[in-house]
């Protein structure tokens, strides 16, 4: 369990918002293929920016 | 993709990590002798080189880059967010700045109490390996997405490591005045930008300016980081 925690901390820096936000960005892009490509690209970038904001609002690690 | 972009990113990432590693190697060198300190550091560099040599060329030889981008890109985004949010916290005063002098003093006190040379070797090895591991992962992942530029990433990382380690040995003092937080912010923005570009490509998105969209991302994330720093800044109390 400690090893898993160490790997998680190494990759995500202990953030919960970062992997969750990134998963939402990826799933939104995959699940909405019918949208205009420019809108999909813009949505992806916007969700990553919001993910950065959410991760920054988390408790200081 | 320009080799200077990838080489410059690994150079800066390696420089800032090696500044932290140099503080530890320096503490070991001064308290337990340079032979112990440099032997530990050399073994750590050898271990990091094995990781890069074992995985870098293998990933670089993969023909289908798209699926690799979909694996590597998210890693880069997560690494980028980790680096950038720490830089934002420090710039905003929510987290203490990295104080190389204080870390150096703490390491020296610990090593003087231990006296055992094996502790010095282990400390030096661990300091270089742990700080360098993230750089090695970045170099390997760059190799996966831009195989032709593997040499640029490797030489960027190696050049920074050599410059910092040699400077530390010559100066014999921790790099207390290196603007570590600013460098970390730049690396965070670059990793986040490259990760966004590659993940999008892996997902089949068509970026409006091809690889040059990277510079749009750099601008977007710099603006976002500046706004978040202002938002996170603690109110001044009288």
């Amino acid at each position: 369990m400690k090893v898993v925690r160490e790997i998680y901390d190494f990759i995500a820096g202990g953030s919960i918002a970062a992997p969750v936000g990134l998963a939402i960005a990826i799933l939104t892009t995959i699940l909405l293929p019918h949208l205009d490509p420019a809108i999909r690209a813009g949505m992806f970038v916007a969700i990553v920016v919001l993910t950065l904001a959410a991760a920054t609002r988390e408790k200081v690690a | 993709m320009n080799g200077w972009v990838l080489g410059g990113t690994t150079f800066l990432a390696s420089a800032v990590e090696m500044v932290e590693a140099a503080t530890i190697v320096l503490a070991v060198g001064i308290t337990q002798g340079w032979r112990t300190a440099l032997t530990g550091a050399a073994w750590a560099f050898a271990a990091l080189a094995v990781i890069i040599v074992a995985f870098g060329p293998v990933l670089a030889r993969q023909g289908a880059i798209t699926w690799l981008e979909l694996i590597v890109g998210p890693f880069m985004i997560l690494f980028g967010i980790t680096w950038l949010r720490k830089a934002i916290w420090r710039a905003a005063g929510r987290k203490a700045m990295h104080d190389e002098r204080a870390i150096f003093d703490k390491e020296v006190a610990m090593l003087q109490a231990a006296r055992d040379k094996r502790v010095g070797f282990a400390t030096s090895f661990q300091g270089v390996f742990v700080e360098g591991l993230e750089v090695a992962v970045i170099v390997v992942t760059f190799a996966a997405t831009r195989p032709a530029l593997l040499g640029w990433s490797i030489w960027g990382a190696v050049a920074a490591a050599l410059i910092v380690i040699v400077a530390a040995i010559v100066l014999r003092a921790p790099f207390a005045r290196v603007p570590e937080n600013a460098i970390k912010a730049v690396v965070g923005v670059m990793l986040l930008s490259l990760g966004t570009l590659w993940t999008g490509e892996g997902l089949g998105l068509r970026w409006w300016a091809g690889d040059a969209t990277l510079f749009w991302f750099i601008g977007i994330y710099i603006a976002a980081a500046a706004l978040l720093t202002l938002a996170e800044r603690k109110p001044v109390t009288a």
Side-chain angles (χ1 to χ4, degrees), chain B residues 99-120:
Chain B
D99 186 344
E100 293 301 329
R101 171 55 68 180
I103 294 166
F104 177 77
D105 291 342
K106 194 175 150 196
E107 288 290 336
V108 167
M110 186 273 287
L111 289 161
Q112 278 173 338
R115 289 181 183 273
D116 190 343
K117 294 262 184 199
R118 283 175 300 183
V119 174

Side-chain angles (χ1 to χ4, degrees), chain A residues 13 48 55-58 60-61, chain B residues 75 85 89 94-95 221 232:
Chain A
V48 175
T56 309
R57 296 294 295 175
E58 280 180 314
V60 173
Chain B
F75 271 103
R85 76 170 184 163
W89 285 339
R94 276 186 66 191
K95 188 175 171 78
Y221 292 131
E232 289 295 302

Side-chain angles (χ1 to χ4, degrees), chain B residues 9-33:
Chain B
T9 303
T10 54
F11 181 89
L12 289 176
S14 176
V16 77
E17 295 291 4
M18 284 306 115
V19 162
E20 292 172 19
T23 300
I24 297 166
V25 174
L26 203 63
V28 176
I30 286 170
T31 52
Q32 301 204 343

Side-chain angles (χ1 to χ4, degrees), chain B residues 1-60:
Chain B
M1 176 77 56
N2 192 321
W4 287 101
V5 173
L6 296 193
T9 303
T10 54
F11 181 89
L12 289 176
S14 176
V16 77
E17 295 291 4
M18 284 306 115
V19 162
E20 292 172 19
T23 300
I24 297 166
V25 174
L26 203 63
V28 176
I30 286 170
T31 52
Q32 301 204 343
W34 289 103
R35 190 186 166 93
T36 306
L38 294 177
T39 308
W43 275 101
F45 277 121
L48 293 170
V50 167
I51 290 172
I52 292 173
V53 170
F55 293 103
V58 171
L59 289 172

Side-chain angles (χ1 to χ4, degrees), chain A residues 10-15 18-19 22 25-26 29-30 37 40-42 44-45 48-49 51-53 55-61, chain B residues 74-75 77-79 81-82 84-85 88-89 94-95 133-134 137 192 196 199-200 203 205 207-208 217 220-221 224 228 231-232:
Chain A
F10 180 74
I11 294 170
S15 171
L22 184 57
I26 292 171
T29 309
I30 292 171
R40 282 173 77 212
F44 179 77
V45 178
V48 175
V49 172
T51 302
L52 170 66
T56 309
R57 296 294 295 175
E58 280 180 314
K59 197 172 156 222
V60 173
Chain B
F75 271 103
I77 290 177
L78 292 175
F79 272 15
I81 288 175
T82 301
L84 194 51
R85 76 170 184 163
I88 291 169
W89 285 339
R94 276 186 66 191
K95 188 175 171 78
L133 185 60
E134 205 164 337
V137 171
L192 197 45
T196 305
T199 307
L203 289 168
L205 294 175
W207 297 119
W208 49 90
F217 296 150
I220 289 168
Y221 292 131
L228 287 167
E232 289 295 302

